[in-house]
Amino acid sequence: MKFRKLAGAVALVSSVALGGCGYLPGGGPDSRTVTVWLMQDSASQGFLDRFTESYEEENPNIELEFVIQEWGGIGPKVLEALDSDDAPDVIEVGNTQVAQYAESGGLRDLTLESMRDLGSEDWLPGLAQPGSISGQQYGIPWYAANRVVIYNKDLFAQAGITKLPKTREEWIETSEKLDVDGRQGIYLAGQNWYVLAGFIWDEGGELADENGGDWQGALGSPAALRGMDFYKDLQALGDGPKDADEQTPPQTDVFAKGDVAQIISVPGSAALIEQANPDLKGKLGYFPIPGKTAKNPGAVFTGGSDLIVPDKADERAAGIDVITALASEKWQTDLARTMSYVPNKPALARVIEGQEGTAAMAEGATQGRATPNSPHWAAVEAENPIKPYMTAVLQGGDPAEEAKTASERITAKLTTG
């Protein structure tokens, strides 16, 4: 294996860092190199070593070359690669980025392989749906991550709470009991729009709707407004700022002070909390974001990665074979246990039993969704009219009027990019 690391700005924080280089010789004079672009911190060096050794042993004429990319500025770099005559054979991309790359016309259609070899009917919808454009599967789900509720076990015990909430109603009641004596029932920043998206989806609403290829912002629908109303009720049970997101200040730092009962974040945030306050080590618990009923957890935004094959890749067939291996049960199990990810199929959630945070994440992932599957959604996020909309409502603005303004801005971006 050849292993190269490219310099650039790091845009993804992870508890595992890829480092060093390793090299395993290929098969012989007829050997071929399959070049795979992976993103910074998506997989540990140990995982890559195990996968490469196994794969090259089973495929002696294939040599794997992993090129590690930074998340910062990756969009233009991928588009340039798709248009070049020196494209890599496999590229890892964010699940919500597939539509943008598919619009370029530079992706291999993997619909046949996904149905025939990869069990696409069993994939997590939050990974599978954004990889499918106009009925064609371009992105193969690799791993997922989503938000859960991280809670302070001591504060729950002190409030006499012995049963974790399963419904929104129970969640509000629990948070009210915790929001006493100078403590915060939940710290929820006013502009945590990914969390709002889940509440909107739970109500049957959307961030944007498509009609015949045309997209329109949909924050003003009755369902979306109900989602915002619930967000407002929950956000009031703590002192989160109404005019900032979860990074301003970092909500993990706020939680680490010890007087916040709950935050909504990925389980990996627990390591940052414990780093900031070692006294909380062993005192953190996790549960899926509650849904409207106890039957299912709440809807969540599913982040994660898909694997794509450039149409101009020299080793397209071999690249597809590498993806098939990476998406298989064996290597999904290894990756999930190594990196605390959610596997690409709900049926594989059993492999992370015993990892409390990851298990809660996997349960929530069954209700996972992705952002609107428009190639211009990245332009919406860059300006993000959802954030000021949330602040305006939390500060007393008329929800319908504020939603109308934000939806018009979303529509404009989805139309022009």
Side-chain angles (χ1 to χ4, degrees), residues 125-149:
L127 288 182
Q129 290 170 0
S132 177
I133 314 297
S134 301
Q136 295 175 302
Q137 194 73 38
Y138 293 100
I140 303 301
W142 193 26
Y143 66 81
N146 51 266
R147 290 161 179 78
V148 300
V149 181

Side-chain angles (χ1 to χ4, degrees), residues 7-359:
V10 178
L12 180 68
V13 177
S14 173
S15 59
V16 180
L18 290 172
C21 297
Y23 178 82
L24 292 174
D30 297 326
S31 68
R32 294 171 293 149
T33 298
V34 175
T35 302
V36 182
W37 281 13
L38 295 185
M39 301 308 300
Q40 177 83 24
D41 300 330
S42 285
S44 70
Q45 180 70 60
F47 173 86
L48 293 177
D49 288 344
R50 291 190 296 275
F51 178 80
T52 300
E53 181 178 2
S54 174
Y55 190 87
E56 292 184 351
E57 182 177 345
E58 294 174 3
N59 301 272
N61 291 326
I62 295 294
E63 180 181 353
L64 297 180
E65 179 185 36
F66 290 102
V67 181
I68 305 304
Q69 301 282 358
E70 309 284 356
W71 284 101
I74 190 60
K77 186 177 291 187
V78 171
L79 289 172
E80 182 180 349
L82 295 178
D83 192 44
S84 76
D85 293 325
D86 188 30
D89 304 299
V90 177
I91 305 176
E92 176 197 352
V93 300
N95 60 321
T96 61
Q97 298 173 332
V98 178
Q100 174 188 3
Y101 302 138
E103 187 186 42
S104 74
L107 298 190
R108 182 80 167 179
D109 180 0
L110 303 175
T111 305
L112 173 62
E113 292 81 2
S114 68
M115 298 175 64
R116 183 188 63 199
D117 305 323
L118 296 168
S120 58
E121 68 277 6
D122 299 323
W123 285 337
L124 285 171
L127 288 182
Q129 290 170 0
S132 177
I133 314 297
S134 301
Q136 295 175 302
Q137 194 73 38
Y138 293 100
I140 303 301
W142 193 26
Y143 66 81
N146 51 266
R147 290 161 179 78
V148 300
V149 181
I150 302 176
Y151 71 97
N152 185 316
K153 293 181 178 180
D154 282 353
L155 296 186
F156 269 58
Q158 291 168 21
I161 299 169
T162 58
K163 182 181 178 182
L164 297 175
K166 293 287 188 180
T167 67
R168 280 191 188 178
E169 183 179 0
E170 293 174 354
W171 195 17
I172 291 290
E173 292 173 355
T174 295
S175 300
E176 287 175 340
K177 291 179 181 178
L178 292 161
D179 193 41
V180 296
D181 301 329
R183 296 169 179 161
Q184 299 186 54
I186 186 168
Y187 181 87
L188 181 58
Q191 296 182 349
N192 197 331
W193 71 277
Y194 282 123
V195 173
L196 171 64
F199 298 160
I200 289 175
W201 293 329
D202 266 346
E203 294 289 350
E206 299 289 345
L207 302 177
D209 289 321
E210 181 187 18
N211 184 10
D214 294 327
W215 287 89
Q216 291 188 327
L219 295 178
S221 72
L225 290 172
R226 289 195 301 271
M228 183 66 225
D229 188 54
F230 179 76
Y231 190 100
K232 184 176 181 179
D233 290 344
L234 186 65
Q235 201 269 341
L237 298 175
D239 299 329
K242 293 178 171 59
D243 59 351
D245 63 22
E246 63 275 21
Q247 294 300 320
T248 313
Q251 64 175 348
T252 52
D253 290 349
V254 178
F255 188 92
K257 294 177 181 178
D259 59 357
V260 172
Q262 307 169 88
I263 60 171
I264 302 171
S265 188
V266 294
S269 294
L272 298 176
I273 294 168
E274 292 171 353
Q275 181 180 343
N277 184 356
D279 289 341
L280 289 177
K281 190 173 182 62
K283 298 180 180 180
L284 304 181
Y286 314 83
F287 59 88
I289 293 174
K292 295 188 70 174
T293 70
K295 182 179 180 181
N296 293 307
V300 290
F301 168 73
T302 300
S305 287
D306 283 14
L307 299 170
I308 61 174
V309 174
D311 206 36
K312 291 186 176 181
D314 290 335
E315 300 291 348
R316 290 190 302 271
I320 293 171
D321 189 66
V322 170
I323 289 179
T324 301
L326 286 168
S328 69
E329 180 172 349
K330 174 183 177 180
W331 293 107
Q332 282 288 294
T333 298
D334 191 317
L335 186 68
R337 290 174 175 170
T338 299
M339 304 298 296
S340 296
Y341 290 147
V342 177
N344 61 10
K345 296 179 180 179
L348 295 178
R350 68 182 187 280
V351 307
I352 48 174
E353 290 178 358
Q355 299 181 25
E356 184 182 356
T358 311

